[in-house]
Amino acid sequence: MSKTAPKTYITSGHSGCAGCCDAFAAKFTLMGAGPNTIVINPTGCLEVMSTPFPYSSWQVPWIHSLFENAGAVASGVEAALKALGKKDDVKVVSIGGDGSTMDIGLGALSGAFERGHDFTYVCMDNEAYMNTGVQRSSGTPFDASTTTTPAGKVSFGNPRPKKNMPAIMAAHGSPYVATTSIGFPRDMIRKVKKATEIVGPTYIHAQAPCPTGWGFDTSKTLEIAKLAVETCLWPMYEMENGEITQVRKVKNPRPVEEYLRAQKRFKHLFTMEGGEEEIKKIQAIADWNIKHFELQ
Amino acid sequence: MIDPAYRKKMVVVEGSYAVAHSAKVCRPNVISAYPITPQTHIVEHLSQFMADGEIPNCEYVNVEAEFSAISALIGASAVGARTYSATTSQGLLLMHEALFNTSGMRLPVVMTVANRAVSAPINIWNDHQDAIAQRDTGWMQLYVEDVQEACDTLPQLYKIAEDNEIMVPGMVCMDGFILSHVYEPVVLLEQDLTDNFLPPFQPEDILDPEDPKTFGAFASPDTYEEFRYLHEQAMQKALPKIEATAKEFEEVYGRYHGGLIDGYMLDDAEIVVMAMGSILGTVKDVVDKYRAKGEKIGVLKVRSFRPFPKEQICKAVKNAHAVVVLDKNISIGTNEGALFTETKSCLYNSKVRVPVIGYTIGHGGRDIPVESIAKVIEETKKVAKSGITIESQFMDLKEELL
Ligand SMILES: Cc1ncc(C[n+]2csc(CCOP(=O)(O)OP(=O)(O)O)c2C)c(N)n1
Ligand code: SF4
């Protein structure tokens, strides 16, 4: 980034793992949203590592309530700002993990979007429950090994594909839904900025590879994130009022195998009998993305 | 005799309407609630007030569930808004996790609970099991006897909860249907008096980009315990504040419903009947009959269940020959209601020695006739003479159904 890069509003010195994806996600989110922001953070790695009392990494007002209620807390924050005549100056942004967003907190988030509260929800999707030790979420990809969907003699890991969360949020009538990745900071910052400037409930779904949970070297977080996009397993697009309006093209998609091979969570696909067939299924997911989102 | 000038101010309205009106004149900034019988009418009336533009500077968040209702108020209160909700039974149980969170963050949310039994079996009628199940959530709980008290306790509770020394959320617990759906004469709270009595909410710490603060941090074993201690200290500070606020309320509005506790024919009472909520009216009627016969029976109303007024209770029963506690709840596995357990607990470490027995009564809206209260008093008289034989029991069980 150039020297004029926006301030991050989150200090270093937190207790996240080296190369922590959530720290990147939070940083890029605040770089996009700016200082006049109230952050709502459900329970998860980011919350735990950034606020060991009496310390705090947050240079913006920040609230953590529970694992499953960020959407509702954000609704209340927004409503209160309105009632107190402060809403025009202040942005409301929630940053939550895939577990709190796509699973346990989906009801509260759906309610908030349906009611049309003016806030931005950022899902930092590290594709499992990292804070409790890498258990499956509905954001966990097909065939990933987690502690609750471990690969074993008769299992290739998680048997289900990822939930299509952006589509769900767009179906709520959200004016702006976008996917992004912490591997593309400028893209993420731009999209968060855009989302927070739009009136109404907006949603950003950011892929955030976790070195600890996925099993790769701590220096490679951004590299792995880029690889997900380049293999077309993580399409990046924007939706305005339910329609796809922008897609990040991938000129020469790389084979998914490159992405899978780089991570321990897919290691079994290269050692188990039948693994090749499984890799083909994952390639088919990438191929579907290429076609569906017109990535080329 | 009611003063004719006072009588002129009285109107006959539904309990829920009166409570909604009270909530309105407390000038909430954010209301969030989810309908559930018998709380429904309260939120419907508030919605109508909103639709008619009668609550200025207020947002009504029409949530998808009680869990979100309380969560929205957590967010709103942290921003510095005065917040209100109402719920009961399953709704209150669904809030359970967030109730701890509200009080742990020391957010003075105020809520009316129209007490109702809990499932299973499903039952919509009154008892106190729902609120009693929340007794350790760190919320204040004030139980009211009639509609007027349900109304009058709301501004009192805001004042107590929002005291910067206290900052603890609170529930006004009113008996579902018995009070929420009854039409009785009340004086609706006047806006000007309430504005004088209840100053605007001015918390010291809020979520504000001008002065960023962290709410709901992570605390390790090094620091967590002190949070719990300070929370308990705040509750202890609420004890005198509840008394003082009730008296202050009386000065402004001319009505007093008791502070932490209230006595009826208590000073010389040999037998004391203790209870919370609307049952007290029936008990007082029965006691009147005994008094007419010259028998020294008295009533101890417990208004504040959290914080629990240990000292006041010990003092109130110290000269009695026997005490009976009526509980519209049971802590299954102890065969006791909660008020009974806690009353005994506070007496044990005091110098007061008086036999105490308990009845668990009126579950799921079961009617409590005057005859049953009289039977209880007769039993307690026996205890005063010859000691306790049965410590605690269900009242009026239907043997044929067992
Ligand atoms: C009601 C409830 N259930 C379970 C938990 C335990 N828990 C805390 S964080 C977490 C997982 C967080 O996963 P995610 O939202 O994906 O965030 P991450 O830590 O991976 O960034 C779980 C299961 C909880 N705090 N509350
Ligand atoms: S487990 Fe993953 S998300 Fe959690 S702190 Fe470590 S790197 Fe960050």
Side-chain angles (χ1 to χ4, degrees), chain A residues 35-39 47-49 51-69 72-84 86 89-90 107-112 114-115 117, chain B residues 29-30 57-65 67-82 95 97-99 101-102 105 107 206-220 223 227:
Chain A
N36 276 336
T37 300
I38 294 176
V39 172
E47 163 264 326
V48 170
M49 70 166 166
T51 67
F53 183 83
Y55 307 109
S56 173
S57 293
W58 299 88
Q59 296 173 320
V60 290
W62 177 95
I63 183 169
H64 157 252
S65 174
L66 296 167
F67 187 26
E68 63 275 38
N69 67 356
V73 175
S75 304
V77 166
E78 187 250 17
L81 290 172
K82 261 195 192 157
L84 301 173
K86 296 179 178 173
D89 312 326
V90 183
L109 182 57
S110 170
E114 172 274 317
R115 289 188 299 274
H117 292 281
Chain B
N29 302 117
V30 178
N57 308 319
C58 182
E59 291 286 317
Y60 190 112
V61 187
N62 245 318
V63 279
E64 79 290 347
F67 189 77
S68 283
I70 184 66
S71 299
L73 297 190
I74 287 173
S77 187
V79 174
R82 177 171 290 157
M95 289 183 180
E97 187 192 8
L99 294 181
N101 202 256
T102 316
M105 267 194 268
L107 300 169
I206 57 166
L207 294 171
D208 177 9
E210 299 283 309
D211 181 17
K213 288 187 174 138
T214 291
F215 274 64
F218 169 83
S220 64
T223 56
F227 280 90

Side-chain angles (χ1 to χ4, degrees), chain A residues 127-128 137 139-145 158-162 259 265-266:
Chain A
E127 304 193 327
S137 78
T140 300
F142 178 68
D143 272 356
S145 181
N158 184 38
R160 299 287 301 156
K162 274 178 90 79
Y259 177 68
R265 63 175 177 161
F266 294 115

Side-chain angles (χ1 to χ4, degrees), chain B residues 147-295:
Chain B
V147 172
Q148 188 70 63
E149 188 182 358
C151 297
D152 294 353
T153 303
L154 265 185
Q156 293 183 40
L157 195 51
Y158 273 113
K159 194 165 187 158
I160 300 157
E162 291 174 2
D163 183 320
N164 271 317
E165 292 282 294
I166 298 173
M167 295 295 278
V168 168
M171 312 173 185
V172 176
C173 300
M174 67 188 289
D175 286 326
F177 286 116
I178 301 170
L179 299 182
S180 61
H181 286 57
V182 74
Y183 279 72
E184 61 183 34
V186 288
V187 176
L188 295 177
L189 291 188
E190 296 88 343
Q191 186 67 65
D192 53 339
L193 291 186
T194 307
D195 287 343
N196 275 337
F197 175 78
L198 180 65
F201 179 33
Q202 275 172 329
E204 281 171 1
D205 299 309
I206 57 166
L207 294 171
D208 177 9
E210 299 283 309
D211 181 17
K213 288 187 174 138
T214 291
F215 274 64
F218 169 83
S220 64
D222 280 354
T223 56
Y224 182 84
E225 194 161 319
E226 284 66 28
F227 280 90
R228 302 298 282 167
Y229 173 77
L230 290 170
H231 192 161
E232 176 57 43
Q233 290 298 102
M235 274 286 198
Q236 295 306 322
K237 286 181 194 156
L239 285 166
K241 180 83 183 174
I242 292 169
E243 296 268 15
T245 308
K247 288 194 187 112
E248 226 180 290
F249 185 88
E250 186 183 18
E251 278 161 30
V252 176
Y253 298 80
R255 292 187 294 274
Y256 181 76
H257 307 278
L260 295 160
I261 58 171
D262 199 29
Y264 180 76
M265 305 278 181
L266 194 61
D267 291 346
D268 63 341
E270 290 167 2
I271 302 298
V272 173
V273 186
M274 267 175 85
M276 305 193 291
S278 63
I279 183 74
L280 285 157
T282 316
V283 175
K284 286 174 185 173
D285 276 354
V286 178
V287 165
D288 282 346
K289 289 193 186 121
Y290 275 93
R291 285 279 171 177
K293 291 189 283 179
E295 293 196 43

Side-chain angles (χ1 to χ4, degrees), chain A residues 274-292:
Chain A
E276 256 170 53
E277 281 308 302
E278 294 302 304
I279 294 170
K280 276 187 198 148
K281 288 183 199 166
I282 297 171
Q283 185 62 56
I285 294 172
D287 294 345
W288 186 89
N289 284 341
I290 292 171
K291 230 172 123 184
H292 182 76

Side-chain angles (χ1 to χ4, degrees), chain A residues 15-23 45 49 126 130-131 210-213:
Chain A
S15 60
C17 311
C20 172
C21 54
D22 280 7
C45 278
M49 70 166 166
N126 54 27
M130 297 315 175
N131 192 48
C210 161
T212 312

Side-chain angles (χ1 to χ4, degrees), chain B residues 13-121:
Chain B
V13 291
E14 194 203 29
S16 294
Y17 177 86
V19 167
H21 175 89
S22 275
K24 175 177 85 172
V25 299
C26 287
R27 299 195 183 278
N29 302 117
V30 178
I31 301 171
S32 187
Y34 191 78
I36 174 168
T37 306
Q39 155 266 31
T40 337
H41 292 182
I42 298 176
V43 297
E44 285 174 347
H45 288 305
L46 282 168
S47 305
Q48 191 64 52
F49 293 151
M50 286 299 295
D52 292 335
E54 288 181 26
I55 319 185
N57 308 319
C58 182
E59 291 286 317
Y60 190 112
V61 187
N62 245 318
V63 279
E64 79 290 347
E66 287 86 352
F67 189 77
S68 283
I70 184 66
S71 299
L73 297 190
I74 287 173
S77 187
V79 174
R82 177 171 290 157
T83 58
Y84 179 77
S85 190
T87 190
T88 176
S89 185
Q90 307 310 122
L92 187 61
L93 301 196
L94 188 56
M95 289 183 180
H96 182 69
E97 187 192 8
L99 294 181
F100 276 98
N101 202 256
T102 316
S103 66
M105 267 194 268
R106 307 289 295 279
L107 300 169
V109 174
V110 167
M111 174 156 79
T112 299
V113 175
N115 291 110
R116 167 186 147 180
V118 298
S119 291

